[in-house]
Short mmCIF file of all heavy atoms in Angstrom, two decimals:
data_model
loop_
_atom_site.label_atom_id
_atom_site.label_comp_id
_atom_site.label_asym_id
_atom_site.label_seq_id
_atom_site.Cartn_x
_atom_site.Cartn_y
_atom_site.Cartn_z
N ALA A 1 -10.31 12.90 14.74
CA ALA A 1 -11.36 13.89 14.44
C ALA A 1 -10.73 15.26 14.18
O ALA A 1 -11.19 16.02 13.32
CB ALA A 1 -12.35 13.98 15.59
N LEU A 2 -9.66 15.56 14.90
CA LEU A 2 -8.95 16.82 14.68
C LEU A 2 -8.29 16.83 13.31
O LEU A 2 -8.36 17.83 12.58
CB LEU A 2 -7.91 17.02 15.78
CG LEU A 2 -7.24 18.37 15.89
CD1 LEU A 2 -8.26 19.50 15.99
CD2 LEU A 2 -6.31 18.40 17.09
N ALA A 3 -7.68 15.70 12.94
CA ALA A 3 -7.09 15.60 11.59
C ALA A 3 -8.16 15.74 10.53
O ALA A 3 -7.96 16.40 9.49
CB ALA A 3 -6.38 14.25 11.45
N ARG A 4 -9.32 15.13 10.76
CA ARG A 4 -10.43 15.22 9.82
C ARG A 4 -10.90 16.66 9.67
O ARG A 4 -11.20 17.14 8.58
CB ARG A 4 -11.58 14.33 10.31
CG ARG A 4 -12.77 14.25 9.38
CD ARG A 4 -13.91 15.12 9.82
NE ARG A 4 -14.30 14.83 11.18
CZ ARG A 4 -14.97 15.69 11.94
NH1 ARG A 4 -15.28 16.89 11.49
NH2 ARG A 4 -15.31 15.38 13.17
N ALA A 5 -10.94 17.40 10.80
CA ALA A 5 -11.37 18.80 10.77
C ALA A 5 -10.38 19.69 10.01
O ALA A 5 -10.74 20.77 9.54
CB ALA A 5 -11.55 19.33 12.19
N LEU A 6 -9.14 19.21 9.89
CA LEU A 6 -8.10 20.02 9.24
C LEU A 6 -7.81 19.58 7.80
O LEU A 6 -7.00 20.21 7.13
CB LEU A 6 -6.81 19.90 10.05
CG LEU A 6 -6.80 20.61 11.41
CD1 LEU A 6 -5.63 20.12 12.25
CD2 LEU A 6 -6.73 22.11 11.22
N VAL A 7 -8.47 18.52 7.34
CA VAL A 7 -8.09 17.94 6.06
C VAL A 7 -8.28 18.91 4.90
O VAL A 7 -7.57 18.83 3.89
CB VAL A 7 -8.88 16.62 5.83
CG1 VAL A 7 -10.33 16.90 5.45
CG2 VAL A 7 -8.19 15.76 4.78
N HIS A 8 -9.20 19.85 5.01
CA HIS A 8 -9.43 20.81 3.92
C HIS A 8 -8.74 22.16 4.19
O HIS A 8 -9.02 23.15 3.52
CB HIS A 8 -10.93 21.03 3.70
CG HIS A 8 -11.67 21.54 4.90
ND1 HIS A 8 -11.77 20.85 6.08
CD2 HIS A 8 -12.36 22.71 5.09
CE1 HIS A 8 -12.49 21.55 6.94
NE2 HIS A 8 -12.85 22.68 6.36
N ASP A 9 -7.82 22.17 5.19
CA ASP A 9 -7.01 23.35 5.52
C ASP A 9 -7.87 24.59 5.80
O ASP A 9 -7.74 25.63 5.14
CB ASP A 9 -6.03 23.65 4.39
CG ASP A 9 -4.93 24.61 4.83
OD1 ASP A 9 -4.61 24.64 6.04
OD2 ASP A 9 -4.40 25.34 3.98
N PRO A 10 -8.76 24.51 6.80
CA PRO A 10 -9.64 25.65 7.11
C PRO A 10 -8.89 26.79 7.79
O PRO A 10 -7.80 26.60 8.33
CB PRO A 10 -10.65 25.03 8.08
CG PRO A 10 -9.86 23.98 8.80
CD PRO A 10 -8.96 23.39 7.75
N ASP A 11 -9.49 27.97 7.76
CA ASP A 11 -8.91 29.13 8.45
C ASP A 11 -9.28 29.13 9.93
O ASP A 11 -8.53 29.63 10.77
CB ASP A 11 -9.43 30.44 7.81
CG ASP A 11 -8.98 30.57 6.37
OD1 ASP A 11 -7.76 30.52 6.14
OD2 ASP A 11 -9.84 30.72 5.49
N ILE A 12 -10.47 28.60 10.24
CA ILE A 12 -10.98 28.60 11.61
C ILE A 12 -11.27 27.18 12.03
O ILE A 12 -11.82 26.39 11.26
CB ILE A 12 -12.28 29.43 11.71
CG1 ILE A 12 -12.01 30.90 11.34
CG2 ILE A 12 -12.88 29.35 13.12
CD1 ILE A 12 -13.27 31.76 11.29
N LEU A 13 -10.91 26.87 13.27
CA LEU A 13 -11.21 25.57 13.84
C LEU A 13 -12.07 25.77 15.07
O LEU A 13 -11.71 26.52 15.98
CB LEU A 13 -9.92 24.85 14.22
CG LEU A 13 -10.05 23.38 14.61
CD1 LEU A 13 -10.51 22.55 13.41
CD2 LEU A 13 -8.73 22.84 15.14
N ILE A 14 -13.23 25.11 15.09
CA ILE A 14 -14.17 25.22 16.20
C ILE A 14 -14.22 23.88 16.92
O ILE A 14 -14.55 22.86 16.31
CB ILE A 14 -15.56 25.64 15.71
CG1 ILE A 14 -15.49 27.05 15.10
CG2 ILE A 14 -16.58 25.61 16.85
CD1 ILE A 14 -16.79 27.57 14.53
N LEU A 15 -13.90 23.89 18.21
CA LEU A 15 -13.80 22.66 19.00
C LEU A 15 -14.77 22.73 20.17
O LEU A 15 -14.72 23.66 20.97
CB LEU A 15 -12.38 22.48 19.54
CG LEU A 15 -11.24 22.61 18.53
CD1 LEU A 15 -9.89 22.53 19.24
CD2 LEU A 15 -11.34 21.53 17.47
N ASP A 16 -15.61 21.73 20.29
CA ASP A 16 -16.58 21.67 21.38
C ASP A 16 -16.13 20.60 22.39
O ASP A 16 -16.27 19.41 22.12
CB ASP A 16 -17.97 21.34 20.84
CG ASP A 16 -19.06 21.53 21.90
OD1 ASP A 16 -18.76 22.06 22.98
OD2 ASP A 16 -20.21 21.14 21.63
N GLU A 17 -15.58 21.04 23.51
CA GLU A 17 -15.10 20.13 24.57
C GLU A 17 -14.19 19.04 24.01
O GLU A 17 -14.43 17.84 24.21
CB GLU A 17 -16.30 19.48 25.29
CG GLU A 17 -17.27 20.46 25.93
CD GLU A 17 -16.77 20.98 27.28
OE1 GLU A 17 -15.65 20.61 27.69
OE2 GLU A 17 -17.51 21.73 27.92
N PRO A 18 -13.10 19.41 23.33
CA PRO A 18 -12.25 18.39 22.68
C PRO A 18 -11.49 17.50 23.66
O PRO A 18 -11.01 16.44 23.27
CB PRO A 18 -11.28 19.23 21.84
CG PRO A 18 -11.20 20.52 22.57
CD PRO A 18 -12.59 20.76 23.10
N MET A 19 -11.35 17.92 24.92
CA MET A 19 -10.62 17.12 25.91
C MET A 19 -11.54 16.21 26.72
O MET A 19 -11.07 15.44 27.55
CB MET A 19 -9.85 18.03 26.87
CG MET A 19 -8.97 19.06 26.20
SD MET A 19 -7.60 18.31 25.30
CE MET A 19 -6.69 19.76 24.82
N SER A 20 -12.83 16.32 26.50
CA SER A 20 -13.79 15.57 27.31
C SER A 20 -13.60 14.07 27.16
O SER A 20 -13.56 13.53 26.05
CB SER A 20 -15.22 15.95 26.90
OG SER A 20 -16.16 15.22 27.64
N GLY A 21 -13.46 13.38 28.29
CA GLY A 21 -13.35 11.92 28.28
C GLY A 21 -12.00 11.38 27.92
O GLY A 21 -11.83 10.16 27.80
N ILE A 22 -11.01 12.25 27.75
CA ILE A 22 -9.66 11.80 27.39
C ILE A 22 -8.80 11.71 28.64
O ILE A 22 -8.87 12.59 29.51
CB ILE A 22 -9.01 12.76 26.38
CG1 ILE A 22 -9.88 12.91 25.13
CG2 ILE A 22 -7.63 12.28 25.99
CD1 ILE A 22 -9.31 13.86 24.12
N ASP A 23 -7.98 10.68 28.73
CA ASP A 23 -7.11 10.54 29.90
C ASP A 23 -6.01 11.60 29.86
O ASP A 23 -5.80 12.26 28.84
CB ASP A 23 -6.53 9.13 30.00
CG ASP A 23 -5.65 8.76 28.81
OD1 ASP A 23 -5.05 9.66 28.20
OD2 ASP A 23 -5.57 7.57 28.49
N PRO A 24 -5.29 11.81 30.98
CA PRO A 24 -4.27 12.87 31.05
C PRO A 24 -3.23 12.83 29.93
O PRO A 24 -2.86 13.87 29.39
CB PRO A 24 -3.63 12.64 32.43
CG PRO A 24 -4.73 12.05 33.24
CD PRO A 24 -5.48 11.17 32.30
N SER A 25 -2.76 11.63 29.57
CA SER A 25 -1.76 11.54 28.50
C SER A 25 -2.36 11.97 27.16
O SER A 25 -1.70 12.63 26.34
CB SER A 25 -1.20 10.12 28.39
OG SER A 25 -2.22 9.19 28.05
N GLY A 26 -3.63 11.64 26.94
CA GLY A 26 -4.31 12.07 25.72
C GLY A 26 -4.51 13.57 25.68
O GLY A 26 -4.41 14.20 24.62
N GLN A 27 -4.78 14.17 26.83
CA GLN A 27 -4.93 15.63 26.90
C GLN A 27 -3.62 16.33 26.57
O GLN A 27 -3.61 17.34 25.87
CB GLN A 27 -5.42 16.03 28.29
CG GLN A 27 -6.84 15.59 28.59
CD GLN A 27 -7.31 16.04 29.96
OE1 GLN A 27 -6.69 16.88 30.59
NE2 GLN A 27 -8.40 15.47 30.44
N ILE A 28 -2.53 15.78 27.08
CA ILE A 28 -1.22 16.36 26.78
C ILE A 28 -0.94 16.32 25.29
O ILE A 28 -0.45 17.27 24.68
CB ILE A 28 -0.11 15.61 27.56
CG1 ILE A 28 -0.24 15.89 29.06
CG2 ILE A 28 1.28 16.01 27.07
CD1 ILE A 28 0.66 15.04 29.93
N GLU A 29 -1.29 15.20 24.66
CA GLU A 29 -1.07 15.04 23.22
C GLU A 29 -1.94 16.01 22.43
O GLU A 29 -1.47 16.65 21.47
CB GLU A 29 -1.37 13.61 22.80
CG GLU A 29 -1.04 13.29 21.36
CD GLU A 29 0.44 13.37 21.04
OE1 GLU A 29 1.26 13.48 21.98
OE2 GLU A 29 0.78 13.33 19.84
N MET A 30 -3.20 16.16 22.82
CA MET A 30 -4.08 17.11 22.14
C MET A 30 -3.57 18.53 22.29
O MET A 30 -3.60 19.33 21.35
CB MET A 30 -5.49 17.00 22.70
CG MET A 30 -6.27 15.78 22.21
SD MET A 30 -6.76 15.91 20.47
CE MET A 30 -8.11 17.09 20.61
N ARG A 31 -3.09 18.85 23.48
CA ARG A 31 -2.56 20.20 23.71
C ARG A 31 -1.34 20.45 22.83
O ARG A 31 -1.18 21.55 22.27
CB ARG A 31 -2.19 20.34 25.18
CG ARG A 31 -1.88 21.78 25.62
CD ARG A 31 -1.39 21.82 27.05
NE ARG A 31 -2.24 21.05 27.92
CZ ARG A 31 -1.80 20.19 28.83
NH1 ARG A 31 -0.52 19.98 28.99
NH2 ARG A 31 -2.65 19.53 29.59
N ARG A 32 -0.51 19.44 22.69
CA ARG A 32 0.67 19.58 21.83
C ARG A 32 0.26 19.88 20.39
O ARG A 32 0.83 20.76 19.74
CB ARG A 32 1.51 18.29 21.87
CG ARG A 32 2.73 18.34 20.95
CD ARG A 32 3.35 16.97 20.77
NE ARG A 32 2.49 16.06 20.03
CZ ARG A 32 2.34 16.09 18.70
NH1 ARG A 32 2.98 17.01 17.98
NH2 ARG A 32 1.55 15.23 18.09
N ILE A 33 -0.74 19.15 19.93
CA ILE A 33 -1.20 19.35 18.55
C ILE A 33 -1.74 20.76 18.36
O ILE A 33 -1.42 21.46 17.39
CB ILE A 33 -2.27 18.31 18.19
CG1 ILE A 33 -1.67 16.91 18.21
CG2 ILE A 33 -2.87 18.60 16.82
CD1 ILE A 33 -2.70 15.80 18.24
N LEU A 34 -2.58 21.19 19.30
CA LEU A 34 -3.18 22.52 19.19
C LEU A 34 -2.12 23.61 19.21
O LEU A 34 -2.16 24.56 18.43
CB LEU A 34 -4.17 22.75 20.33
CG LEU A 34 -5.46 21.92 20.27
CD1 LEU A 34 -6.28 22.13 21.54
CD2 LEU A 34 -6.28 22.30 19.05
N GLN A 35 -1.15 23.48 20.10
CA GLN A 35 -0.14 24.53 20.24
C GLN A 35 0.91 24.49 19.14
O GLN A 35 1.26 25.52 18.56
CB GLN A 35 0.54 24.42 21.61
CG GLN A 35 -0.39 24.76 22.77
CD GLN A 35 0.27 24.56 24.12
OE1 GLN A 35 0.91 23.55 24.37
NE2 GLN A 35 0.11 25.52 25.00
N GLU A 36 1.42 23.31 18.82
CA GLU A 36 2.56 23.22 17.91
C GLU A 36 2.16 23.13 16.44
O GLU A 36 2.84 23.69 15.59
CB GLU A 36 3.40 21.99 18.26
CG GLU A 36 4.05 22.09 19.64
CD GLU A 36 4.91 20.88 19.95
OE1 GLU A 36 5.15 20.06 19.03
OE2 GLU A 36 5.32 20.74 21.12
N VAL A 37 1.07 22.44 16.16
CA VAL A 37 0.70 22.24 14.76
C VAL A 37 -0.24 23.34 14.26
O VAL A 37 0.06 24.04 13.29
CB VAL A 37 0.04 20.85 14.56
CG1 VAL A 37 -0.38 20.65 13.12
CG2 VAL A 37 1.01 19.77 14.99
N ILE A 38 -1.36 23.50 14.96
CA ILE A 38 -2.37 24.43 14.48
C ILE A 38 -1.89 25.87 14.58
O ILE A 38 -2.05 26.66 13.66
CB ILE A 38 -3.69 24.23 15.23
CG1 ILE A 38 -4.18 22.80 14.99
CG2 ILE A 38 -4.74 25.23 14.77
CD1 ILE A 38 -5.38 22.42 15.81
N ARG A 39 -1.27 26.22 15.71
CA ARG A 39 -0.80 27.60 15.87
C ARG A 39 0.27 27.93 14.84
O ARG A 39 0.33 29.05 14.34
CB ARG A 39 -0.28 27.81 17.28
CG ARG A 39 -1.32 27.71 18.37
CD ARG A 39 -2.33 28.83 18.31
NE ARG A 39 -1.78 30.09 18.72
CZ ARG A 39 -2.48 31.20 18.88
NH1 ARG A 39 -3.77 31.19 18.65
NH2 ARG A 39 -1.91 32.31 19.25
N GLN A 40 1.11 26.97 14.52
CA GLN A 40 2.14 27.21 13.50
C GLN A 40 1.52 27.47 12.14
O GLN A 40 2.10 28.18 11.31
CB GLN A 40 3.10 26.01 13.43
CG GLN A 40 4.04 25.92 14.63
CD GLN A 40 4.89 24.66 14.60
OE1 GLN A 40 4.90 23.92 13.62
NE2 GLN A 40 5.61 24.41 15.68
#
């Protein structure tokens, strides 16, 4: 869903509880994406 939200290369990304229901390893992966990919 995050990849889908980025497919048109938007300037702003709005996330509503993106970590909800994800296990700890999934949260770590989402955090990595947000910090390393989107911030870059």
Side-chain angles (χ1 to χ4, degrees):
L2 191 54
R4 185 259 305 158
L6 289 165
V7 75
H8 59 298
D9 196 27
D11 296 304
I12 298 175
L13 190 65
I14 296 178
L15 310 175
D16 191 9
E17 301 280 3
M19 308 294 187
S20 179
I22 303 179
D23 62 28
S25 63
Q27 292 181 14
I28 292 171
E29 186 66 10
M30 283 288 285
R31 191 186 312 134
R32 178 193 67 78
I33 296 165
L34 290 174
Q35 291 176 315
E36 295 182 10
V37 179
I38 300 173
R39 294 293 288 187
Q40 287 175 8

